[in-house]
Amino acid sequence: MPLRARTLLGPGPSNPYPEAQVALARPLLGHLDPVFLQILDETSDRLRQVFGTANRRTLPLSATGSAGMEAAFVNTVGPGDVVVVAVNGLFGQRMVDVAGRCGAEVVPVDHEWGQPVDAGRVLEAHPSPKLIAAVHAETSTGVLSDLAPLAAGKGDALLLADCVTSLGGIPVELDEWGVDLAYSGSQKCLGVAPGLAPFTISDRAWERRIEKPQSWYLDLGMLGGYAGEAAGSGGRTYHHTAPTGMVVSLHAGLGRILEEGLDAVHARHAEAGRLLHEGLAELGLELFAAEGHRLPELTTVTVPEGVDSAAVRKELLERYDLEIGGGVGAYAATVWRIGLMGANATPDKVALVLAALKETLAR
Ligand SMILES: *Cc1c(COP(=O)(O)O)cnc(C)c1O
């Protein structure tokens, strides 16, 4: 099979930034090499900048975004702990599943798909939860939810945010808002290949963590001996073999983002999203996510009546080497998902997907 160069405008992975792509071709470093450890520490520093946090314990976990979700729950909740989860899409549903597997008493607060999280309802769902969890950017529906009101009303609870699709695409200010734990994924707006889950936890959440979580691999206490807590120290201990090539690539991708400037990167995503939303409207297509809460980096489009959703995606892939996503759950066949993430948040990618969709729909 010849390797095709695809334009990845689905819900992730996105095409990496060139800096992150070439970093993958560098000679491999050992995971305890001082040069690598310095890159790891710098990567944590860079993650603190994009997360908008001073959290000492900020590190890339060695697995995809889902491991970030799992790490957040296994390290903070155990049997009988009350966890309130805002559910307005697939990833909120997954949080319910993961928290339940930890033995937590889960209180899901369901929302209609396509709508943002209603902070008032979430905060009223239980008087004293240990943890409240919400998805910042719901990739299944293309909806942005405001985390600040949840943080403002959380009281004694910890607040966990899924920032997989928001980080590097739209502003994330964890400390300003008051979010205690957050995770992301390398392959969405951070513009790096899949394989790492940026993760951060506040001192407040750290003090209330589970001492010996049921997951050995994702035990933050043990990981802290290698990264995060051990940053800059000579006393690093082996826990698992860090995927050094991937960390070097993430370091480069974050370097690119910070060099461009976080504000400029966010503005580029906002502009690309606006152009796409306008262009889709001109094609007579309807957007699925509630107006005023639409993500610029992930747009959900209602598939027009009588159009075979999968056939269109197949043609885009085969004819234009262009990937867009289908819907999920009940919306699998009725929604398309178009991502403009990281390096792909540019006017030329918007023009490409609009032209290809127009031609394909006309046929
Ligand atoms: C993609 C995604 C995840 C899961 O990340 P993986 O890298 O696929 O494991 C979790 N939450 C959200 C909001 C996502 O978009």
Side-chain angles (χ1 to χ4, degrees):
M1 260 310 229
L3 261 182
R4 307 289 303 248
R6 308 284 207 194
T7 303
L8 302 174
L9 302 188
S14 60
N15 297 96
Y17 283 115
E19 292 84 349
Q21 183 78 59
V22 299
L24 289 173
R26 285 194 199 149
L28 200 68
L29 292 167
H31 68 115
L32 292 171
D33 184 317
V35 173
F36 172 69
L37 292 174
Q38 189 184 336
I39 290 173
L40 180 62
D41 289 347
E42 282 177 18
T43 302
S44 292
D45 282 340
R46 291 174 182 187
L47 286 175
R48 276 185 275 273
Q49 292 183 60
V50 294
F51 268 127
T53 184
N55 289 342
R56 192 152 57 106
R57 297 178 186 86
T58 302
L59 73 165
L61 300 180
S62 307
T64 68
S66 303
M69 185 188 291
E70 188 117 20
F73 285 105
V74 297
N75 282 278
T76 55
V77 296
D81 287 336
V82 175
V83 175
V84 171
V85 183
V87 181
N88 66 333
L90 175 78
F91 293 101
Q93 286 181 340
R94 279 200 185 166
M95 284 177 151
V96 170
D97 188 359
V98 174
R101 287 168 193 241
C102 295
E105 187 190 314
V106 188
V107 183
V109 182
D110 287 311
H111 297 66
E112 194 186 324
W113 284 37
Q115 295 295 324
V117 169
D118 178 342
R121 277 182 52 222
V122 173
L123 294 172
E124 280 163 19
H126 193 278
S128 56
K130 177 170 187 190
L131 182 90
I132 299 170
V135 178
H136 189 207
E138 234 320 331
T139 322
S140 61
T141 61
V143 166
L144 168 68
S145 290
D146 195 356
L147 298 175
L150 283 176
K154 73 183 177 185
D156 194 44
L158 298 171
L159 179 60
L160 163 64
D162 176 315
C163 294
V164 176
T165 287
S166 55
L167 201 67
I170 55 176
V172 173
E173 294 290 349
L174 298 183
D175 288 359
E176 188 186 315
W177 295 335
V179 175
D180 298 282
L181 300 103
Y183 57 88
S184 189
S186 48
Q187 77 274 25
K188 303 200 183 180
C189 296
L190 293 175
V192 179
L196 291 174
F199 189 91
T200 189
I201 177 168
S202 67
D203 287 345
R204 181 171 177 265
W206 183 257
E207 280 155 19
R208 294 200 233 164
R209 77 186 190 280
I210 305 284
E211 277 292 338
K212 193 163 184 177
Q214 39 99 349
S215 169
W216 180 90
Y217 191 71
L218 297 173
D219 179 344
L220 292 173
M222 293 171 78
L223 288 171
Y226 174 70
E229 258 192 295
S233 86
R236 315 252 194 173
T237 48
Y238 165 70
H239 176 257
H240 68 275
T241 309
T244 54
M246 276 304 303
V247 173
V248 168
S249 183
L250 176 62
H251 176 264
L254 290 166
R256 154 65 198 254
I257 288 173
L258 294 171
E259 197 176 321
E260 185 178 342
L262 269 180
D263 289 346
V265 169
H266 297 154
R268 178 162 56 74
H269 281 81
E271 172 68 0
R274 189 183 61 76
L275 289 171
L276 178 63
H277 296 176
E278 282 175 12
L280 290 167
E282 277 166 27
L283 293 182
L285 294 168
E286 280 186 20
L287 302 189
F288 174 76
E291 193 162 6
H293 307 280
R294 292 171 183 157
L295 293 168
E297 71 272 36
L298 194 282
T299 299
T300 43
V301 187
T302 303
V303 178
E305 200 87 26
V307 170
D308 180 344
S309 152
V312 169
R313 290 200 296 123
K314 183 162 182 272
E315 181 150 351
L316 290 176
L317 192 64
E318 288 177 357
R319 211 175 163 107
Y320 306 90
D321 279 310
L322 175 58
E323 180 178 281
I324 68 166
V328 289
Y331 302 96
T334 54
V335 163
W336 287 312
R337 294 184 298 156
I338 304 176
L340 296 169
M341 299 179 175
N344 289 337
T346 55
D348 65 307
K349 296 301 190 309
V350 175
L352 172 68
V353 70
L354 286 172
L357 254 183
K358 186 177 178 182
E359 283 181 16
T360 304
L361 288 172
R363 270 192 297 273

